[in-house]
Amino acid sequence: MKLHIRNFLSMFDVFGIVERDPFGNSMFLKRIIMFTLGWITYGRLRVYNKTKISGTEHLENLPQTGVLFLSNHQTYFMDVICLYHVFFSIKWGFKNSINFPIYLLAPRSRLFYVAASETMKEGGLLPRIFSQAGAILVNRSWRAKGHDVKRELDTAANDKVGLGLKYGWVVSFPQGTTTPYAPLRKGTAHLIKAHNPIVVPVVINGFRRAFDKKGLLFKKRNTTLSVTFKEPIQFDPNMPVEEIMDILREQIEQKIPVEKLKWRREE
């Protein structure tokens, strides 16, 4: 009955007040949170630091659904916040720029990002607010509370991300940690094989120098932050998992450099 009432009201709902995402969250509330957080964080990306963006021409003709952005990871929150700013700006027709925050007046709302449940639920009020901006919560099977663990795989994770892909764009960090050159998780390759999304590799830099691990506090101002979008990839679903992993590792520039391999051997 409630569903029928909601469907009826949605026909007259020009502001999307009764609209819900696939996970049952209010899209109207999501837009308000995006607008508010966008204004709060804009200065961190454009005033106190400089953000250099390249490759948005690869995003201009992407479909509205079924696109998976895969990026290296440097902070818990500021990475995805910056990507959201870029996506909002692109919606308004701006290229390689977040210089005009007018885009916050009508942000792209069909966005989601994959995040660890413990980070969003146990980190206090602010992460809980951030989670309303499109978090797809998954349980990490390899890490909990800062320690390596072994627990059952979250088999529902792929289905959750699949729902997000059917509804819009999804951002994921296949390393699952902010540690540089950490191995990519094979679950990302299985996700690609299962849902066959358009994959856009993203390389970010400077966030680790500019912000603390959570991305909420400054470490060093006047830092150049960079975001590079690479050419979209449509993987063959029959491609072996390891081959997909090798391509992704190369594309998001997380292959361990030779000098680091040498240093590890000497250690």
Side-chain angles (χ1 to χ4, degrees):
M1 183 66 178
K2 289 182 179 179
L3 180 61
H4 290 304
I5 294 174
R6 188 180 302 137
N7 290 338
F8 176 76
L9 291 176
S10 66
M11 292 188 293
F12 307 96
D13 184 22
V14 296
F15 297 106
I17 294 175
V18 300
E19 183 184 2
R20 300 273 175 174
D21 71 13
F23 308 101
N25 300 311
S26 167
M27 293 296 288
F28 182 70
L29 176 60
K30 182 176 181 179
R31 293 184 183 102
I32 292 175
I33 292 174
M34 286 177 164
F35 172 83
T36 304
L37 291 179
W39 280 110
I40 292 173
T41 57
Y42 181 77
R44 296 168 180 260
L45 301 172
R46 284 290 300 136
V47 179
Y48 301 108
N49 297 294
K50 178 183 178 182
T51 302
K52 182 179 179 182
I53 304 163
S54 60
T56 60
E57 63 273 9
H58 297 311
L59 280 57
E60 292 177 1
N61 297 315
L62 290 177
Q64 297 299 307
T65 62
V67 182
L68 178 65
F69 293 84
L70 297 179
S71 174
N72 61 312
H73 204 14
Q74 296 196 340
T75 70
Y76 288 172
F77 301 116
M78 193 53 67
D79 302 7
V80 74
I81 288 172
C82 183
L83 290 175
Y84 267 40
H85 273 275
V86 178
F87 297 149
F88 300 164
S89 185
I90 291 169
K91 177 186 173 183
W92 279 66
F94 301 122
K95 298 181 180 180
N96 293 323
S97 169
I98 56 171
N99 295 343
F100 309 102
I102 187 175
Y103 57 72
L104 293 172
L105 295 175
R108 180 188 296 272
S109 57
R110 295 195 174 199
L111 293 174
F112 302 91
Y113 64 98
V114 180
S117 294
E118 67 172 68
T119 300
M120 308 308 289
K121 292 181 178 180
E122 300 175 12
L125 178 61
L126 201 54
R128 288 178 180 270
I129 295 174
F130 285 159
S131 69
Q132 295 300 310
I136 298 176
L137 301 181
V138 300
N139 297 315
R140 293 186 297 186
S141 59
W142 68 93
R143 196 152 179 89
K145 298 183 179 180
H147 301 285
D148 293 334
V149 298
K150 288 185 178 180
R151 58 189 181 192
E152 290 186 8
L153 185 68
D154 184 359
T155 55
N158 270 6
D159 293 335
K160 293 177 184 177
V161 177
L163 280 176
L165 288 169
K166 288 180 180 179
Y167 195 72
W169 292 359
V170 176
V171 176
S172 183
F173 303 95
Q175 291 168 290
T177 174
T178 57
T179 303
Y181 305 112
L184 275 62
R185 298 293 161 181
K186 290 184 178 180
T188 301
H190 289 295
L191 171 70
I192 291 171
K193 289 173 69 67
H195 299 286
N196 197 27
I198 295 174
V199 176
V200 180
V202 186
V203 179
I204 63 170
N205 201 8
F207 292 81
R208 188 178 286 112
R209 290 191 298 273
F211 305 104
D212 70 336
K213 190 170 185 177
K214 289 186 176 181
L216 302 177
L217 301 176
F218 288 112
K219 280 173 56 178
K220 183 180 179 181
R221 303 191 185 198
N222 298 317
T223 298
T224 297
L225 312 172
S226 67
V227 180
T228 302
F229 296 94
K230 297 192 175 180
E231 191 170 347
I233 304 171
Q234 188 80 66
F235 285 96
D236 182 345
N238 296 317
M239 184 178 290
V241 167
E242 290 300 335
E243 188 174 348
I244 294 175
M245 299 290 285
D246 286 341
I247 293 172
L248 293 178
R249 193 177 297 111
E250 180 78 32
Q251 287 293 311
I252 67 171
E253 300 180 9
Q254 288 301 295
K255 280 194 171 182
I256 300 178
V258 174
E259 59 269 20
K260 288 187 178 293
L261 285 171
K262 181 180 178 182
W263 175 78
R264 285 188 176 185
R265 284 196 298 268
E266 291 174 350
E267 191 181 53

